[in-house]
mmCIF file of all heavy atoms in Angstrom:
data_model
loop_
_atom_site.group_PDB
_atom_site.id
_atom_site.type_symbol
_atom_site.label_atom_id
_atom_site.label_comp_id
_atom_site.label_asym_id
_atom_site.label_seq_id
_atom_site.Cartn_x
_atom_site.Cartn_y
_atom_site.Cartn_z
ATOM 1 N N ALA M 539 -135.025 93.767 146.952
ATOM 2 C CA ALA M 539 -135.650 95.029 146.548
ATOM 3 C C ALA M 539 -135.719 95.135 145.025
ATOM 4 O O ALA M 539 -136.725 95.574 144.464
ATOM 5 C CB ALA M 539 -134.877 96.212 147.123
ATOM 6 N N ALA M 540 -134.650 94.744 144.344
ATOM 7 C CA ALA M 540 -134.653 94.787 142.883
ATOM 8 C C ALA M 540 -135.605 93.743 142.313
ATOM 9 O O ALA M 540 -136.306 93.995 141.330
ATOM 10 C CB ALA M 540 -133.240 94.569 142.345
ATOM 11 N N ALA M 541 -135.627 92.559 142.938
ATOM 12 C CA ALA M 541 -136.557 91.520 142.472
ATOM 13 C C ALA M 541 -137.999 91.986 142.606
ATOM 14 O O ALA M 541 -138.812 91.814 141.687
ATOM 15 C CB ALA M 541 -136.327 90.230 143.264
ATOM 16 N N GLU M 542 -138.319 92.609 143.733
ATOM 17 C CA GLU M 542 -139.689 93.081 143.953
ATOM 18 C C GLU M 542 -140.060 94.197 142.974
ATOM 19 O O GLU M 542 -141.213 94.317 142.558
ATOM 20 C CB GLU M 542 -139.847 93.550 145.393
ATOM 21 C CG GLU M 542 -139.830 92.387 146.387
ATOM 22 C CD GLU M 542 -139.824 92.848 147.833
ATOM 23 O OE1 GLU M 542 -139.690 94.074 148.064
ATOM 24 O OE2 GLU M 542 -139.930 91.987 148.730
ATOM 25 N N LEU M 543 -139.071 95.022 142.604
ATOM 26 C CA LEU M 543 -139.328 96.045 141.595
ATOM 27 C C LEU M 543 -139.789 95.398 140.291
ATOM 28 O O LEU M 543 -140.774 95.829 139.680
ATOM 29 C CB LEU M 543 -138.064 96.875 141.354
ATOM 30 C CG LEU M 543 -138.042 97.737 140.081
ATOM 31 C CD1 LEU M 543 -139.151 98.783 140.112
ATOM 32 C CD2 LEU M 543 -136.678 98.403 139.910
ATOM 33 N N PHE M 544 -139.106 94.350 139.862
ATOM 34 C CA PHE M 544 -139.436 93.724 138.584
ATOM 35 C C PHE M 544 -140.675 92.834 138.659
ATOM 36 O O PHE M 544 -141.232 92.467 137.633
ATOM 37 C CB PHE M 544 -138.232 92.941 138.050
ATOM 38 C CG PHE M 544 -137.233 93.819 137.360
ATOM 39 C CD1 PHE M 544 -136.207 94.424 138.079
ATOM 40 C CD2 PHE M 544 -137.344 94.077 136.014
ATOM 41 C CE1 PHE M 544 -135.304 95.257 137.449
ATOM 42 C CE2 PHE M 544 -136.447 94.913 135.374
ATOM 43 C CZ PHE M 544 -135.419 95.510 136.090
ATOM 44 N N LEU M 545 -141.089 92.530 139.862
ATOM 45 C CA LEU M 545 -142.334 91.779 140.023
ATOM 46 C C LEU M 545 -143.534 92.703 140.219
ATOM 47 O O LEU M 545 -144.675 92.256 140.218
ATOM 48 C CB LEU M 545 -142.214 90.827 141.217
ATOM 49 C CG LEU M 545 -141.201 89.683 141.044
ATOM 50 C CD1 LEU M 545 -140.963 88.973 142.371
ATOM 51 C CD2 LEU M 545 -141.669 88.699 139.982
ATOM 52 N N CYS M 546 -143.255 94.007 140.377
ATOM 53 C CA CYS M 546 -144.313 94.988 140.635
ATOM 54 C C CYS M 546 -145.129 95.243 139.366
ATOM 55 O O CYS M 546 -144.589 95.339 138.262
ATOM 56 C CB CYS M 546 -143.657 96.282 141.128
ATOM 57 S SG CYS M 546 -144.808 97.617 141.402
ATOM 58 N N GLU M 547 -146.436 95.388 139.524
ATOM 59 C CA GLU M 547 -147.315 95.619 138.368
ATOM 60 C C GLU M 547 -147.919 97.018 138.357
ATOM 61 O O GLU M 547 -148.682 97.351 137.459
ATOM 62 C CB GLU M 547 -148.428 94.566 138.353
ATOM 63 C CG GLU M 547 -147.902 93.141 138.175
ATOM 64 C CD GLU M 547 -149.011 92.113 138.125
ATOM 65 O OE1 GLU M 547 -150.192 92.505 138.280
ATOM 66 O OE2 GLU M 547 -148.706 90.925 137.921
ATOM 67 N N ASP M 548 -147.582 97.838 139.333
ATOM 68 C CA ASP M 548 -148.117 99.198 139.420
ATOM 69 C C ASP M 548 -146.980 100.195 139.165
ATOM 70 O O ASP M 548 -145.931 100.144 139.816
ATOM 71 C CB ASP M 548 -148.724 99.446 140.798
ATOM 72 C CG ASP M 548 -149.270 100.855 140.946
ATOM 73 O OD1 ASP M 548 -150.390 101.093 140.475
ATOM 74 O OD2 ASP M 548 -148.548 101.700 141.516
ATOM 75 N N TYR M 549 -147.202 101.118 138.224
ATOM 76 C CA TYR M 549 -146.120 102.027 137.839
ATOM 77 C C TYR M 549 -145.690 102.936 138.991
ATOM 78 O O TYR M 549 -144.488 103.154 139.202
ATOM 79 C CB TYR M 549 -146.523 102.892 136.641
ATOM 80 C CG TYR M 549 -145.465 103.914 136.298
ATOM 81 C CD1 TYR M 549 -144.277 103.530 135.672
ATOM 82 C CD2 TYR M 549 -145.626 105.267 136.628
ATOM 83 C CE1 TYR M 549 -143.290 104.461 135.378
ATOM 84 C CE2 TYR M 549 -144.649 106.198 136.341
ATOM 85 C CZ TYR M 549 -143.480 105.790 135.710
ATOM 86 O OH TYR M 549 -142.494 106.706 135.431
ATOM 87 N N ASP M 550 -146.629 103.487 139.739
ATOM 88 C CA ASP M 550 -146.271 104.396 140.830
ATOM 89 C C ASP M 550 -145.424 103.683 141.881
ATOM 90 O O ASP M 550 -144.440 104.241 142.393
ATOM 91 C CB ASP M 550 -147.530 104.980 141.470
ATOM 92 C CG ASP M 550 -148.255 105.953 140.544
ATOM 93 O OD1 ASP M 550 -147.579 106.544 139.684
ATOM 94 O OD2 ASP M 550 -149.480 106.105 140.672
ATOM 95 N N GLU M 551 -145.804 102.444 142.200
ATOM 96 C CA GLU M 551 -145.003 101.664 143.148
ATOM 97 C C GLU M 551 -143.628 101.365 142.565
ATOM 98 O O GLU M 551 -142.606 101.419 143.266
ATOM 99 C CB GLU M 551 -145.725 100.356 143.492
ATOM 100 C CG GLU M 551 -146.974 100.525 144.340
ATOM 101 C CD GLU M 551 -147.640 99.191 144.647
ATOM 102 O OE1 GLU M 551 -146.962 98.151 144.483
ATOM 103 O OE2 GLU M 551 -148.818 99.186 145.022
ATOM 104 N N ALA M 552 -143.597 101.040 141.275
ATOM 105 C CA ALA M 552 -142.328 100.737 140.617
ATOM 106 C C ALA M 552 -141.414 101.955 140.609
ATOM 107 O O ALA M 552 -140.194 101.841 140.834
ATOM 108 C CB ALA M 552 -142.575 100.245 139.197
ATOM 109 N N LEU M 553 -141.994 103.119 140.363
ATOM 110 C CA LEU M 553 -141.185 104.344 140.324
ATOM 111 C C LEU M 553 -140.583 104.637 141.693
ATOM 112 O O LEU M 553 -139.410 105.029 141.798
ATOM 113 C CB LEU M 553 -142.047 105.514 139.854
ATOM 114 C CG LEU M 553 -141.313 106.848 139.649
ATOM 115 C CD1 LEU M 553 -140.192 106.699 138.629
ATOM 116 C CD2 LEU M 553 -142.304 107.933 139.208
ATOM 117 N N GLU M 554 -141.364 104.434 142.736
ATOM 118 C CA GLU M 554 -140.839 104.634 144.097
ATOM 119 C C GLU M 554 -139.698 103.663 144.379
ATOM 120 O O GLU M 554 -138.658 104.041 144.941
ATOM 121 C CB GLU M 554 -141.970 104.441 145.113
ATOM 122 C CG GLU M 554 -141.545 104.733 146.543
ATOM 123 C CD GLU M 554 -142.688 104.593 147.542
ATOM 124 O OE1 GLU M 554 -143.859 104.515 147.093
ATOM 125 O OE2 GLU M 554 -142.415 104.568 148.753
#
Side-chain angles (χ1 to χ4, degrees):
E542 289 173 353
L543 164 62
F544 279 89
L545 293 169
C546 177
E547 297 182 357
D548 179 81
Y549 175 74
D550 291 334
E551 290 180 17
L553 185 59
E554 184 178 347

